[in-house]
Amino acid sequence: DGGITQSPKYLFRKEGQNVTLSCEQNLNHDAMYWYRQDPGQGLRLIYYSQIVNDFQKGDIAEGYSVSREKKESFPLTVTSAQKNPTAFYLCASSTSTGTGVGASFGQGTRLTVV
Amino acid sequence: AQSVTQPDIHITVSEGASLELRCNYSYGATPYLFWYVQSPGQGLQLLLKYFSGDTLVQGIKGFEAEFKRSQSSFNLRKPSVHWSDAAEYFCAVTSGNTPLVFGKGTRLSVIA
């Protein structure tokens, strides 16, 4: 079945450590996105990529980094510069930036700083 | 810039009652509009979308939404709510070549 796989589902990080969240899709979608979700805040865009080896900052990119070396993969690194990283992270993909049938979402990764 | 407002943070309805969740958007041209649903700890599932044409769109799980350009609204409705509809609902907008912009969500509780 086609879809988006995020791993791990739960992740714990010590303060000062970098951590990488995985996102893989087999939908042959061109565009991929990372959103952060906090209670009462909705989804806020961190980074997005429309094509391999290219990506753009979203509204809250500070403290995060991404790469897009393969069409099907878009990992997100939460760096130690991110002051409040505890949140639910959602990866999404679409046939092109925001259009088509809308975006498909993964099941999310809950990151907790301990 | 595009924006979405969902005025209701939390709504409680009785099972079998009708439901309307409000969504207002800000965008200069004709928007692409979406409603998504999220169960706790899960990803988002697309309920329905509006691109053009008929302003009343039907979605999955018995939901429908009506696009009203004059009111910049895209409200979600369901005639009879089931307990399994309890979840968080997000309205989203795009110009067509930009990432989705989401509202802050409305949490729906269903009581017997």
Side-chain angles (χ1 to χ4, degrees):
Chain A
D1 286 342
I4 301 175
T5 300
Q6 290 188 241
S7 61
K9 188 171 177 63
Y10 299 97
L11 188 58
F12 297 89
R13 188 194 92 173
K14 293 182 179 180
E15 284 193 29
Q17 287 182 338
N18 293 353
V19 64
T20 297
L21 283 61
S22 171
C23 178
E24 303 276 335
Q25 55 99 359
N26 60 5
L27 300 167
N28 199 32
H29 284 171
D30 298 308
M32 297 187 73
Y33 317 82
W34 276 105
Y35 288 91
R36 169 178 171 143
Q37 185 177 18
D38 297 284
Q41 295 297 314
L43 279 73
R44 294 180 290 169
L45 184 66
I46 304 173
Y47 269 98
Y48 67 102
S49 167
Q50 296 173 260
I51 195 169
V52 173
N53 292 322
D54 187 44
F55 47 83
Q56 288 77 41
K57 293 182 178 180
D59 300 319
I60 57 166
E62 184 175 352
Y64 300 96
S65 66
V66 294
S67 62
R68 187 85 185 277
E69 298 178 359
K70 299 185 295 182
K71 184 176 183 178
E72 58 271 22
S73 178
F74 191 41
L76 173 74
T77 296
V78 184
T79 75
S80 57
Q82 170 50 237
K83 299 305 179 187
N84 185 22
T86 295
F88 191 54
Y89 291 87
L90 286 161
C91 179
S93 69
S94 69
T95 53
S96 59
T97 308
T99 58
V101 297
S104 299
F105 282 81
Q107 292 301 295
T109 293
R110 184 165 299 281
L111 173 64
T112 303
V113 174
V114 298
Chain B
Q2 302 157 44
S3 67
V4 175
T5 301
Q6 294 181 247
D8 304 304
I9 297 173
H10 183 207
I11 285 181
T12 300
V13 300
S14 298
E15 191 169 15
S18 63
L19 170 70
E20 183 169 28
L21 301 182
R22 296 182 291 165
C23 172
N24 293 98
Y25 67 90
S26 174
Y27 181 63
T30 299
Y32 294 73
L33 293 158
F34 303 82
W35 274 100
Y36 283 86
V37 61
Q38 184 184 36
S39 297
Q42 301 296 314
L44 273 66
Q45 181 182 22
L46 180 65
L47 284 176
L48 49 79
K49 58 187 181 290
Y50 171 78
F51 291 160
S52 63
D54 192 345
T55 57
L56 184 63
V57 294
Q58 303 297 321
I60 62 172
K61 305 185 180 187
F63 285 93
E64 66 178 27
E66 186 171 13
F67 171 61
K68 293 185 177 180
R69 184 189 302 275
S70 61
Q71 299 177 19
S72 297
S73 69
F74 188 56
N75 293 350
L76 181 71
R77 301 194 294 248
K78 187 170 185 177
S80 178
V81 170
H82 187 261
W83 65 266
S84 60
D85 293 324
E88 188 146 23
Y89 292 80
F90 292 95
C91 183
V93 65
T94 176
S95 64
N97 61 2
T98 55
L100 291 168
V101 174
F102 287 86
K104 293 188 176 182
T106 297
R107 184 162 61 93
L108 174 65
S109 296
V110 181
I111 58 176

